[in-house]
Coordinates of all heavy atoms in Angstrom, one line a residue:
M284 N 0.8 -1.2 0.0 CA 0.0 0.0 0.0 C 0.9 1.2 0.0 O 1.8 1.3 0.8 CB -0.9 0.0 1.2 CG -1.8 1.2 1.3 SD -3.1 1.0 2.5 CE -2.3 1.4 4.0
V285 N 0.6 2.2 -0.9 CA 1.3 3.4 -1.0 C 0.6 4.5 -0.3 O -0.6 4.8 -0.7 CB 1.6 3.8 -2.5 CG1 2.4 5.1 -2.6 CG2 2.4 2.6 -3.2
L286 N 1.2 5.2 0.6 CA 0.6 6.4 1.2 C 1.2 7.6 0.6 O 2.4 7.7 0.5 CB 0.8 6.3 2.7 CG 0.2 5.2 3.5 CD1 0.6 5.3 5.0 CD2 -1.3 5.3 3.4
S287 N 0.4 8.5 0.3 CA 0.9 9.8 -0.2 C 0.3 10.9 0.6 O -0.9 10.9 0.9 CB 0.7 10.0 -1.7 OG -0.7 10.2 -1.9
F288 N 1.1 11.8 1.0 CA 0.6 12.9 1.8 C 0.7 14.2 1.0 O 1.7 14.5 0.4 CB 1.5 13.1 3.1 CG 1.4 11.9 4.0 CD1 2.3 10.9 3.9 CD2 0.3 11.9 4.9 CE1 2.2 9.8 4.8 CE2 0.2 10.8 5.8 CZ 1.1 9.7 5.7
L289 N -0.4 14.8 0.9 CA -0.6 16.1 0.1 C -0.1 17.2 1.0 O -0.7 17.5 2.0 CB -2.0 16.2 -0.3 CG -2.3 17.4 -1.2 CD1 -1.6 17.3 -2.5 CD2 -3.8 17.4 -1.5
R290 N 0.8 17.9 0.5 CA 1.3 19.2 1.2 C 0.3 20.3 0.8 O -0.1 20.4 -0.3 CB 2.7 19.5 0.8 CG 3.7 18.6 1.4 CD 5.1 19.2 1.1 NE 5.2 20.5 1.6 CZ 6.2 21.1 2.2 NH1 7.2 20.3 2.4 NH2 6.2 22.3 2.6
M291 N -0.1 21.0 1.8 CA -1.0 22.1 1.6 C -0.3 23.4 2.0 O 0.4 23.5 3.0 CB -2.3 21.9 2.4 CG -3.0 20.6 2.1 SD -3.8 20.6 0.5 CE -5.3 21.5 0.8
R292 N -0.6 24.5 1.3 CA -0.1 25.8 1.6 C -1.3 26.7 1.8 O -2.4 26.5 1.3 CB 0.7 26.4 0.4 CG 1.9 25.6 0.1 CD 3.0 25.8 1.1 NE 4.2 25.1 0.6 CZ 5.3 25.2 1.3 NH1 5.4 25.9 2.4 NH2 6.3 24.5 0.9
Q293 N -1.1 27.7 2.7 CA -2.2 28.6 3.0 C -2.0 29.8 2.1 O -0.9 30.3 2.0 CB -2.2 28.9 4.5 CG -3.4 29.7 4.9 CD -3.4 30.0 6.4 OE1 -2.4 30.3 7.0 NE2 -4.6 29.8 7.0
L294 N -3.1 30.4 1.6 CA -3.1 31.6 0.8 C -4.0 32.6 1.5 O -5.2 32.2 1.6 CB -3.5 31.3 -0.6 CG -3.7 32.5 -1.5 CD1 -2.4 33.2 -1.8 CD2 -4.4 32.1 -2.8
I295 N -3.5 33.7 1.8 CA -4.4 34.7 2.4 C -4.5 35.8 1.4 O -3.5 36.3 0.8 CB -3.8 35.2 3.7 CG1 -3.7 34.1 4.7 CG2 -4.6 36.4 4.3 CD1 -3.0 34.4 6.0
T296 N -5.7 36.2 1.1 CA -6.0 37.3 0.2 C -7.1 38.2 0.7 O -7.9 37.8 1.5 CB -6.3 36.7 -1.2 OG1 -6.4 37.8 -2.2 CG2 -7.6 36.0 -1.2
R297 N -7.1 39.4 0.1 CA -8.1 40.3 0.5 C -9.1 40.5 -0.7 O -8.7 40.6 -1.8 CB -7.5 41.7 0.8 CG -6.7 41.7 2.1 CD -6.1 43.1 2.3 NE -5.2 43.1 3.5 CZ -4.0 42.7 3.5 NH1 -3.4 42.4 2.4 NH2 -3.3 42.7 4.6
V298 N -10.4 40.4 -0.4 CA -11.4 40.6 -1.4 C -12.4 41.6 -0.8 O -12.6 41.7 0.4 CB -12.1 39.3 -1.8 CG1 -11.1 38.4 -2.4 CG2 -12.8 38.6 -0.6
D299 N -13.1 42.3 -1.7 CA -14.1 43.3 -1.2 C -15.3 42.5 -0.7 O -15.5 41.3 -0.9 CB -14.5 44.3 -2.3 CG -15.1 43.7 -3.5 OD1 -16.0 42.8 -3.3 OD2 -14.8 44.2 -4.6
D300 N -16.2 43.2 0.1 CA -17.4 42.6 0.7 C -18.3 42.0 -0.3 O -18.8 40.9 0.0 CB -18.1 43.7 1.5 CG -17.4 44.1 2.8 OD1 -16.4 43.3 3.2 OD2 -17.7 45.1 3.3
D301 N -18.5 42.6 -1.5 CA -19.4 42.1 -2.5 C -18.9 40.7 -3.0 O -19.6 39.7 -3.1 CB -19.6 43.0 -3.6 CG -20.5 42.5 -4.7 OD1 -21.7 42.2 -4.4 OD2 -20.0 42.3 -5.8
L302 N -17.6 40.6 -3.3 CA -17.0 39.4 -3.8 C -17.1 38.3 -2.8 O -17.5 37.2 -3.1 CB -15.6 39.6 -4.3 CG -14.9 38.3 -4.8 CD1 -15.6 37.7 -6.0 CD2 -13.5 38.7 -5.2
H303 N -16.8 38.7 -1.5 CA -16.9 37.7 -0.4 C -18.3 37.1 -0.3 O -18.5 35.9 -0.2 CB -16.4 38.4 0.9 CG -16.4 37.4 2.0 ND1 -17.4 37.1 2.8 CD2 -15.3 36.6 2.5 CE1 -17.1 36.2 3.7 NE2 -15.8 35.9 3.5
A304 N -19.3 38.0 -0.4 CA -20.7 37.6 -0.2 C -21.1 36.7 -1.4 O -21.8 35.7 -1.2 CB -21.6 38.8 -0.2
R305 N -20.6 37.0 -2.6 CA -21.0 36.2 -3.8 C -20.3 34.8 -3.7 O -20.9 33.8 -4.0 CB -20.6 36.9 -5.1 CG -21.5 38.1 -5.3 CD -21.3 38.7 -6.7 NE -19.9 39.2 -6.8 CZ -19.2 39.2 -8.0 NH1 -19.8 38.8 -9.1 NH2 -18.0 39.6 -8.0
L306 N -19.0 34.8 -3.2 CA -18.4 33.5 -3.0 C -19.1 32.6 -2.0 O -19.3 31.4 -2.1 CB -16.9 33.7 -2.6 CG -16.0 34.2 -3.7 CD1 -14.6 34.7 -3.1 CD2 -15.7 33.1 -4.8
K307 N -19.4 33.3 -0.9 CA -20.1 32.6 0.2 C -21.4 32.0 -0.3 O -21.8 30.9 0.0 CB -20.3 33.6 1.4 CG -20.9 32.9 2.6 CD -20.9 33.9 3.8 CE -21.4 33.3 5.0 NZ -21.4 34.2 6.2
Q308 N -22.2 32.8 -1.0 CA -23.5 32.4 -1.5 C -23.3 31.2 -2.5 O -24.1 30.2 -2.4 CB -24.3 33.5 -2.2 CG -25.6 33.1 -2.7 CD -26.5 32.7 -1.6 OE1 -26.7 33.4 -0.6 NE2 -27.1 31.5 -1.7
R309 N -22.4 31.3 -3.4 CA -22.1 30.3 -4.4 C -21.7 29.0 -3.7 O -22.2 27.9 -4.1 CB -21.1 30.7 -5.4 CG -20.9 29.7 -6.5 CD -20.2 30.3 -7.7 NE -19.8 29.3 -8.6 CZ -19.0 29.6 -9.7 NH1 -18.7 30.8 -9.9 NH2 -18.6 28.6 -10.5
A310 N -20.8 29.1 -2.7 CA -20.4 27.9 -2.0 C -21.6 27.2 -1.3 O -21.8 26.0 -1.3 CB -19.3 28.3 -0.9
A311 N -22.5 28.0 -0.7 CA -23.7 27.5 -0.1 C -24.6 26.9 -1.1 O -25.1 25.8 -0.9 CB -24.4 28.6 0.7
D312 N -24.8 27.5 -2.2 CA -25.6 27.0 -3.3 C -25.1 25.6 -3.8 O -25.9 24.7 -4.2 CB -25.7 27.9 -4.5 CG -26.5 29.2 -4.2 OD1 -27.2 29.2 -3.1 OD2 -26.4 30.1 -5.0
E313 N -23.7 25.5 -3.9 CA -23.1 24.2 -4.4 C -22.9 23.2 -3.3 O -22.5 22.1 -3.5 CB -21.8 24.6 -5.1 CG -22.0 25.4 -6.3 CD -20.8 25.6 -7.1 OE1 -19.7 25.0 -6.9 OE2 -20.8 26.5 -8.0
G314 N -23.1 23.6 -2.0 CA -23.0 22.7 -0.9 C -21.5 22.4 -0.6 O -21.2 21.2 -0.2
V315 N -20.6 23.3 -0.8 CA -19.2 23.1 -0.6 C -18.7 24.2 0.3 O -19.4 25.3 0.5 CB -18.4 23.0 -1.9 CG1 -18.8 21.9 -2.7 CG2 -18.5 24.3 -2.7
S316 N -17.5 24.1 0.9 CA -16.9 25.1 1.7 C -16.4 26.2 0.8 O -16.2 26.0 -0.4 CB -15.8 24.6 2.5 OG -14.7 24.2 1.7
M317 N -16.2 27.4 1.3 CA -15.6 28.5 0.5 C -14.2 28.1 0.1 O -13.8 28.4 -1.1 CB -15.6 29.8 1.3 CG -17.0 30.5 1.3 SD -17.0 32.1 2.1 CE -15.7 33.0 1.2
N318 N -13.5 27.4 0.9 CA -12.1 27.0 0.6 C -12.2 26.1 -0.6 O -11.4 26.2 -1.6 CB -11.5 26.3 1.8 CG -10.1 25.9 1.5 OD1 -9.2 26.8 1.4 ND2 -9.8 24.7 1.3
A319 N -13.1 25.1 -0.6 CA -13.2 24.2 -1.7 C -13.6 24.9 -3.0 O -13.0 24.6 -4.1 CB -14.2 23.1 -1.4
L320 N -14.5 25.8 -2.9 CA -15.0 26.6 -4.1 C -13.8 27.4 -4.7 O -13.5 27.3 -5.9 CB -16.1 27.5 -3.7 CG -16.6 28.4 -4.8 CD1 -17.3 27.6 -5.9 CD2 -17.5 29.5 -4.3
V321 N -13.1 28.2 -3.8 CA -12.1 29.0 -4.3 C -10.9 28.2 -4.9 O -10.3 28.5 -5.9 CB -11.6 30.0 -3.2 CG1 -10.3 30.7 -3.6 CG2 -12.7 31.0 -2.8
T322 N -10.6 27.1 -4.2 CA -9.5 26.2 -4.7 C -9.9 25.7 -6.1 O -9.1 25.7 -7.0 CB -9.3 25.0 -3.8 OG1 -8.9 25.6 -2.5 CG2 -8.2 24.1 -4.3
R323 N -11.1 25.3 -6.3 CA -11.6 24.8 -7.6 C -11.5 25.9 -8.7 O -11.1 25.7 -9.8 CB -13.0 24.2 -7.5 CG -13.4 23.5 -8.8 CD -14.8 23.0 -8.9 NE -15.6 24.1 -9.1 CZ -16.7 24.4 -8.4 NH1 -17.1 23.7 -7.4 NH2 -17.4 25.5 -8.7
I324 N -12.0 27.1 -8.3 CA -12.1 28.2 -9.3 C -10.6 28.6 -9.7 O -10.4 28.7 -10.9 CB -12.8 29.4 -8.7 CG1 -14.3 29.1 -8.6 CG2 -12.5 30.7 -9.5 CD1 -15.1 30.1 -7.8
L325 N -9.7 28.6 -8.7 CA -8.3 29.0 -9.1 C -7.7 27.9 -9.9 O -7.0 28.2 -10.9 CB -7.5 29.2 -7.8 CG -7.8 30.5 -7.0 CD1 -7.1 30.4 -5.7 CD2 -7.5 31.7 -7.8
G326 N -7.9 26.6 -9.6 CA -7.4 25.5 -10.4 C -7.9 25.5 -11.8 O -7.2 25.3 -12.7
D327 N -9.2 25.8 -11.9 CA -9.8 25.8 -13.3 C -9.2 27.0 -14.1 O -9.0 26.8 -15.3 CB -11.3 26.0 -13.2 CG -12.1 24.7 -12.7 OD1 -11.4 23.7 -12.6 OD2 -13.3 24.8 -12.4
A328 N -9.0 28.1 -13.4 CA -8.5 29.3 -14.1 C -7.1 29.0 -14.6 O -6.7 29.4 -15.7 CB -8.5 30.5 -13.2
L329 N -6.3 28.3 -13.8 CA -4.9 28.0 -14.2 C -4.8 26.9 -15.3 O -3.9 26.9 -16.0 CB -4.1 27.6 -13.0 CG -3.8 28.8 -12.0 CD1 -3.1 28.3 -10.8 CD2 -3.1 29.9 -12.7
A330 N -5.9 26.1 -15.4 CA -5.9 25.0 -16.3 C -6.3 25.5 -17.7 O -6.0 24.8 -18.7 CB -6.8 23.9 -15.9
E331 N -6.9 26.6 -17.8 CA -7.4 27.2 -19.1 C -6.2 27.5 -20.0 O -5.2 28.0 -19.5 CB -8.1 28.5 -18.8 CG -9.6 28.4 -18.7 CD -10.2 29.8 -18.7 OE1 -9.6 30.8 -18.3 OE2 -11.4 29.8 -19.1
T332 N -6.4 27.2 -21.2 CA -5.3 27.6 -22.2 C -5.4 29.1 -22.5 O -6.5 29.7 -22.2 CB -5.5 26.8 -23.5 OG1 -6.7 27.2 -24.1 CG2 -5.5 25.3 -23.3
S333 N -4.4 29.6 -23.1 CA -4.5 31.0 -23.5 C -5.6 31.3 -24.5 O -6.2 32.3 -24.5 CB -3.1 31.5 -24.0 OG -2.7 30.7 -25.2
R334 N -5.8 30.3 -25.4 CA -6.9 30.5 -26.4 C -8.3 30.6 -25.7 O -9.1 31.4 -26.0 CB -6.9 29.3 -27.3 CG -8.0 29.4 -28.4 CD -7.9 28.3 -29.4 NE -8.7 28.5 -30.6 CZ -10.1 28.3 -30.6 NH1 -10.7 27.9 -29.5 NH2 -10.8 28.5 -31.7
E335 N -8.5 29.7 -24.7 CA -9.7 29.7 -23.9 C -9.9 31.0 -23.2 O -11.0 31.6 -23.2 CB -9.8 28.5 -22.9 CG -9.9 27.2 -23.6 CD -9.7 26.0 -22.7 OE1 -8.9 26.2 -21.7 OE2 -10.2 24.9 -22.9
R336 N -8.8 31.5 -22.6 CA -8.9 32.8 -21.9 C -9.2 33.9 -22.9 O -10.0 34.8 -22.6 CB -7.6 33.1 -21.2 CG -7.4 32.4 -19.9 CD -6.3 33.0 -19.0 NE -5.0 32.9 -19.7 CZ -4.2 31.9 -19.7 NH1 -4.5 30.8 -19.0 NH2 -3.0 31.9 -20.4
F337 N -8.6 33.9 -24.1 CA -8.9 34.9 -25.1 C -10.3 34.9 -25.5 O -11.0 35.9 -25.6 CB -7.9 34.6 -26.3 CG -8.2 35.5 -27.5 CD1 -7.9 36.9 -27.4 CD2 -8.8 35.0 -28.6 CE1 -8.1 37.7 -28.5 CE2 -9.0 35.8 -29.7 CZ -8.7 37.2 -29.6
L338 N -10.9 33.7 -25.8 CA -12.3 33.6 -26.2 C -13.2 34.0 -25.1 O -14.2 34.7 -25.4 CB -12.6 32.1 -26.6 CG -11.9 31.6 -27.9 CD1 -12.2 30.2 -28.1 CD2 -12.2 32.5 -29.1
R339 N -12.9 33.7 -23.9 CA -13.7 34.1 -22.7 C -13.7 35.6 -22.6 O -14.7 36.3 -22.4 CB -13.3 33.4 -21.4 CG -14.3 33.5 -20.3 CD -14.0 32.5 -19.2 NE -12.6 32.4 -18.8 CZ -12.0 33.2 -18.0 NH1 -12.6 34.2 -17.4 NH2 -10.7 33.0 -17.7
Q340 N -12.6 36.2 -22.8 CA -12.4 37.7 -22.8 C -13.3 38.3 -23.9 O -14.0 39.3 -23.6 CB -11.0 38.1 -22.9 CG -10.8 39.6 -22.9 CD -11.1 40.2 -21.6 OE1 -10.9 39.6 -20.5 NE2 -11.5 41.5 -21.6
L341 N -13.2 37.8 -25.1 CA -14.0 38.3 -26.2 C -15.5 38.2 -25.8 O -16.3 39.1 -26.1 CB -13.8 37.5 -27.5 CG -12.4 37.8 -28.2 CD1 -12.3 36.9 -29.4 CD2 -12.2 39.2 -28.5
E342 N -15.9 37.1 -25.2 CA -17.3 37.0 -24.8 C -17.7 38.0 -23.8 O -18.8 38.6 -23.9 CB -17.6 35.6 -24.3 CG -17.6 34.5 -25.3 CD -17.8 33.1 -24.8 OE1 -18.1 32.9 -23.6 OE2 -17.5 32.1 -25.5
R343 N -16.9 38.2 -22.8 CA -17.2 39.2 -21.8 C -17.4 40.6 -22.4 O -18.2 41.4 -22.0 CB -16.1 39.3 -20.7 CG -16.2 38.2 -19.6 CD -15.4 38.6 -18.4 NE -14.0 38.8 -18.7 CZ -13.0 37.8 -18.7 NH1 -13.3 36.6 -18.3 NH2 -11.8 38.1 -19.0
E344 N -16.6 40.9 -23.4 CA -16.6 42.2 -24.1 C -17.6 42.3 -25.1 O -17.8 43.3 -25.8 CB -15.2 42.5 -24.6 CG -14.1 42.7 -23.6 CD -12.7 42.8 -24.2 OE1 -12.6 42.7 -25.5 OE2 -11.8 42.9 -23.4
G345 N -18.3 41.2 -25.4 CA -19.4 41.2 -26.4 C -18.8 41.3 -27.8 O -19.5 41.7 -28.8
R346 N -17.5 40.8 -28.0 CA -16.9 40.9 -29.3 C -16.7 39.5 -30.0 O -16.1 39.5 -31.0 CB -15.5 41.6 -29.2 CG -15.6 43.0 -28.7 CD -14.3 43.7 -28.7 NE -13.2 43.0 -28.0 CZ -12.0 43.0 -28.5 NH1 -11.7 43.5 -29.6 NH2 -11.1 42.3 -27.8
R347 N -17.2 38.5 -29.4 CA -17.1 37.1 -30.0 C -18.4 36.8 -30.8 O -19.5 36.9 -30.2 CB -16.9 36.1 -28.9 CG -16.7 34.7 -29.6 CD -16.3 33.7 -28.6 NE -16.1 32.4 -29.2 CZ -16.1 31.2 -28.6 NH1 -16.2 31.2 -27.3 NH2 -15.9 30.1 -29.3
Y348 N -18.2 36.5 -32.0 CA -19.3 36.2 -32.9 C -19.3 34.7 -33.3 O -18.3 34.2 -33.8 CB -19.4 37.0 -34.2 CG -20.4 36.6 -35.1 CD1 -21.8 36.9 -34.9 CD2 -20.2 35.9 -36.3 CE1 -22.8 36.5 -35.7 CE2 -21.2 35.5 -37.1 CZ -22.5 35.8 -36.8 OH -23.5 35.4 -37.7
I349 N -20.3 34.0 -33.0 CA -20.4 32.6 -33.4 C -21.6 32.5 -34.3 O -22.7 32.7 -34.0 CB -20.7 31.7 -32.2 CG1 -19.5 31.8 -31.1 CG2 -20.8 30.2 -32.6 CD1 -19.7 31.1 -29.8
P350 N -21.3 32.2 -35.6 CA -22.3 32.2 -36.6 C -23.3 31.1 -36.3 O -23.0 30.1 -35.7 CB -21.6 31.9 -37.9 CG -20.3 31.4 -37.6 CD -20.0 31.9 -36.2
P351 N -24.6 31.4 -36.6 CA -25.6 30.3 -36.4 C -25.4 29.1 -37.2 O -24.9 29.2 -38.4 CB -26.9 31.0 -36.8 CG -26.5 32.2 -37.7 CD -25.1 32.6 -37.3
Q352 N -25.6 28.0 -36.6 CA -25.4 26.7 -37.3 C -26.8 26.3 -38.0 O -27.8 26.4 -37.3 CB -25.0 25.6 -36.3 CG -23.7 25.9 -35.6 CD -22.5 26.0 -36.6 OE1 -22.3 25.1 -37.4 NE2 -21.7 27.1 -36.5
P353 N -26.7 25.8 -39.2 CA -27.9 25.3 -39.8 C -28.5 24.1 -39.0 O -27.8 23.3 -38.4 CB -27.5 24.8 -41.2 CG -26.0 24.7 -41.2 CD -25.5 25.6 -40.0
A354 N -29.8 24.1 -39.0 CA -30.5 23.0 -38.2 C -30.2 21.6 -38.8 O -30.0 20.7 -38.0 CB -32.0 23.3 -38.2
D355 N -30.1 21.5 -40.1 CA -29.8 20.2 -40.7 C -28.7 20.4 -41.7 O -29.0 20.5 -42.9 CB -31.1 19.7 -41.3 CG -30.9 18.3 -41.8 OD1 -30.0 17.6 -41.3 OD2 -31.7 17.9 -42.7
P356 N -27.4 20.5 -41.3 CA -26.3 20.7 -42.2 C -26.2 19.6 -43.2 O -26.4 18.4 -42.8 CB -25.1 20.9 -41.4 CG -25.4 20.2 -40.1 CD -26.9 20.3 -39.9
P357 N -25.7 19.8 -44.4 CA -25.6 18.7 -45.4 C -24.4 17.8 -45.0 O -23.5 18.3 -44.4 CB -25.3 19.5 -46.7 CG -24.7 20.8 -46.3 CD -25.4 21.1 -45.0
T358 N -24.5 16.6 -45.4 CA -23.4 15.6 -45.1 C -22.3 15.9 -46.1 O -22.4 16.6 -47.1 CB -23.9 14.2 -45.2 OG1 -24.2 14.0 -46.6 CG2 -25.1 13.9 -44.3
H359 N -21.1 15.3 -45.8 CA -20.0 15.4 -46.7 C -20.3 14.8 -48.1 O -20.0 15.5 -49.1 CB -18.8 14.6 -46.1 CG -17.6 14.7 -46.9 ND1 -16.8 15.9 -47.0 CD2 -16.9 13.8 -47.7 CE1 -15.8 15.6 -47.8 NE2 -15.8 14.4 -48.2
D360 N -21.0 13.7 -48.1 CA -21.4 13.1 -49.4 C -22.4 14.0 -50.2 O -22.3 14.2 -51.4 CB -22.1 11.8 -49.2 CG -21.1 10.7 -48.7 OD1 -19.9 10.9 -49.0 OD2 -21.5 9.7 -48.1
E361 N -23.3 14.7 -49.5 CA -24.2 15.6 -50.1 C -23.5 16.8 -50.7 O -23.8 17.3 -51.8 CB -25.3 16.1 -49.2 CG -26.3 15.0 -48.8 CD -27.2 15.4 -47.6 OE1 -26.8 16.3 -46.8 OE2 -28.3 14.8 -47.5
L362 N -22.5 17.3 -50.0 CA -21.7 18.4 -50.5 C -20.9 18.0 -51.7 O -20.8 18.8 -52.7 CB -20.7 18.9 -49.4 CG -21.4 19.7 -48.3 CD1 -20.3 20.0 -47.2 CD2 -22.0 21.0 -48.8
R363 N -20.3 16.8 -51.7 CA -19.5 16.4 -52.9 C -20.5 16.2 -54.1 O -20.1 16.6 -55.2 CB -18.9 15.1 -52.5 CG -17.7 15.2 -51.6 CD -17.1 13.9 -51.4 NE -15.9 13.9 -52.2 CZ -15.1 12.8 -52.4 NH1 -15.4 11.7 -51.8 NH2 -14.1 12.9 -53.2
A364 N -21.7 15.7 -53.9 CA -22.6 15.4 -55.0 C -23.0 16.8 -55.5 O -23.2 16.9 -56.8 CB -23.8 14.6 -54.5
S365 N -23.2 17.8 -54.7 CA -23.7 19.1 -55.2 C -22.6 19.8 -55.9 O -22.9 20.7 -56.8 CB -24.2 19.9 -54.0 OG -23.2 20.3 -53.2
A366 N -21.4 19.5 -55.7 CA -20.3 20.2 -56.4 C -20.1 19.6 -57.8 O -19.5 20.3 -58.6 CB -19.0 20.0 -55.6
G367 N -20.5 18.5 -58.1 CA -20.4 17.9 -59.4 C -19.1 17.1 -59.6 O -18.2 17.3 -58.8
P368 N -19.0 16.4 -60.6 CA -17.8 15.5 -60.8 C -16.5 16.3 -61.1 O -15.4 15.8 -60.9 CB -18.2 14.6 -62.0 CG -19.3 15.4 -62.7 CD -20.0 16.2 -61.7
E369 N -16.7 17.6 -61.6 CA -15.5 18.3 -61.9 C -14.9 19.1 -60.7 O -13.8 19.7 -60.9 CB -15.8 19.4 -63.0 CG -16.7 20.5 -62.6 CD -18.2 20.1 -62.5 OE1 -18.6 19.0 -63.1 OE2 -19.0 20.9 -62.0
A370 N -15.5 18.9 -59.6 CA -15.0 19.6 -58.4 C -13.6 19.1 -58.1 O -13.3 17.9 -58.1 CB -15.9 19.4 -57.2
G371 N -12.7 20.0 -57.9 CA -11.3 19.7 -57.5 C -10.4 19.5 -58.7 O -9.2 19.4 -58.6
E372 N -11.0 19.6 -60.0 CA -10.2 19.4 -61.1 C -9.2 20.5 -61.3 O -8.0 20.3 -61.7 CB -11.0 19.2 -62.4 CG -11.7 17.9 -62.5 CD -12.5 17.8 -63.8 OE1 -12.3 18.6 -64.7 OE2 -13.4 16.9 -63.8
A373 N -9.6 21.7 -61.0 CA -8.7 22.9 -61.2 C -7.5 22.7 -60.2 O -6.3 23.0 -60.6 CB -9.4 24.2 -60.8
V374 N -7.7 22.3 -59.0 CA -6.6 22.1 -58.1 C -5.7 21.0 -58.6 O -4.4 21.1 -58.6 CB -7.1 21.7 -56.7 CG1 -6.0 21.4 -55.7 CG2 -7.9 22.9 -56.1
L375 N -6.2 19.9 -59.0 CA -5.4 18.8 -59.6 C -4.6 19.2 -60.8 O -3.4 18.9 -60.9 CB -6.4 17.6 -59.9 CG -5.7 16.4 -60.5 CD1 -4.7 15.8 -59.5 CD2 -6.7 15.3 -60.9
E376 N -5.2 20.0 -61.7 CA -4.5 20.4 -62.8 C -3.3 21.3 -62.4 O -2.2 21.2 -63.0 CB -5.4 21.2 -63.8 CG -6.4 20.3 -64.5 CD -7.5 21.1 -65.2 OE1 -7.4 22.3 -65.3 OE2 -8.4 20.4 -65.8
E377 N -3.5 22.2 -61.5 CA -2.5 23.1 -61.0 C -1.3 22.3 -60.4 O -0.2 22.6 -60.6 CB -3.0 24.1 -60.0 CG -2.0 25.1 -59.5 CD -1.3 25.9 -60.6 OE1 -1.8 26.1 -61.7 OE2 -0.2 26.4 -60.3
L378 N -1.7 21.3 -59.6 CA -0.6 20.4 -58.9 C 0.2 19.7 -60.0 O 1.4 19.6 -59.9 CB -1.3 19.4 -58.0 CG -1.8 20.0 -56.7 CD1 -2.6 18.9 -55.9 CD2 -0.7 20.5 -55.8
L379 N -0.5 19.2 -61.0 CA 0.2 18.5 -62.1 C 1.1 19.4 -62.9 O 2.2 19.1 -63.2 CB -0.8 17.8 -63.0 CG -1.6 16.6 -62.4 CD1 -2.6 16.2 -63.4 CD2 -0.6 15.5 -62.1
R380 N 0.6 20.7 -63.1 CA 1.4 21.7 -63.8 C 2.7 22.0 -63.0 O 3.8 22.1 -63.6 CB 0.6 22.9 -64.1 CG 1.3 24.0 -64.9 CD 0.5 25.3 -65.0 NE 0.5 26.0 -63.7 CZ 1.5 26.6 -63.1 NH1 2.7 26.6 -63.7 NH2 1.4 27.2 -62.0
Q381 N 2.5 22.2 -61.7 CA 3.7 22.5 -60.9 C 4.7 21.4 -60.8 O 5.9 21.6 -60.8 CB 3.2 22.9 -59.5 CG 2.5 24.2 -59.4 CD 2.0 24.6 -58.0 OE1 2.4 23.9 -57.0 NE2 1.2 25.6 -57.9
R382 N 4.2 20.1 -60.8 CA 5.1 19.0 -60.9 C 5.9 19.0 -62.1 O 7.1 18.6 -62.1 CB 4.4 17.7 -60.7 CG 4.0 17.4 -59.3 CD 3.4 16.1 -59.1 NE 2.8 15.9 -57.8 CZ 2.0 14.9 -57.5 NH1 1.6 14.0 -58.4 NH2 1.6 14.8 -56.2
E383 N 5.3 19.3 -63.2 CA 6.0 19.2 -64.5 C 7.0 20.3 -64.6 O 8.1 20.1 -65.2 CB 4.9 19.4 -65.7 CG 4.0 18.2 -65.9 CD 2.9 18.5 -66.9 OE1 2.8 19.6 -67.4 OE2 2.1 17.6 -67.1
E384 N 6.8 21.5 -64.0 CA 7.7 22.6 -64.0 C 9.0 22.3 -63.1 O 10.0 22.8 -63.4 CB 7.1 23.9 -63.5 CG 6.1 24.4 -64.5 CD 5.4 25.7 -64.0 OE1 5.7 26.1 -62.9 OE2 4.6 26.3 -64.7
S385 N 8.8 21.5 -62.1 CA 9.9 21.3 -61.2 C 10.8 20.1 -61.6 O 10.7 19.4 -62.5 CB 9.5 21.1 -59.8 OG 8.5 20.1 -59.7

């Protein structure tokens, strides 16, 4: 049997009364201690990638646009069929031309 002991450090910080009240209420709503809540929030914040932080910042500022998704998007096969048999020929011709030149 392997025993591992988790070292804990204490962090003391100052927060305004409003933030303290909101943390206390959220902890109560979730049925956890304030310590557990704050530890989870800090851990989640540090686990976020820079891209996730950037997207979240855009959302907060109202600058992130996510285009609406069609209710029933076409399948890959439907898209290929709608493009016709000549789809991709221009690309293939250009690739062959470049190979011949090199």
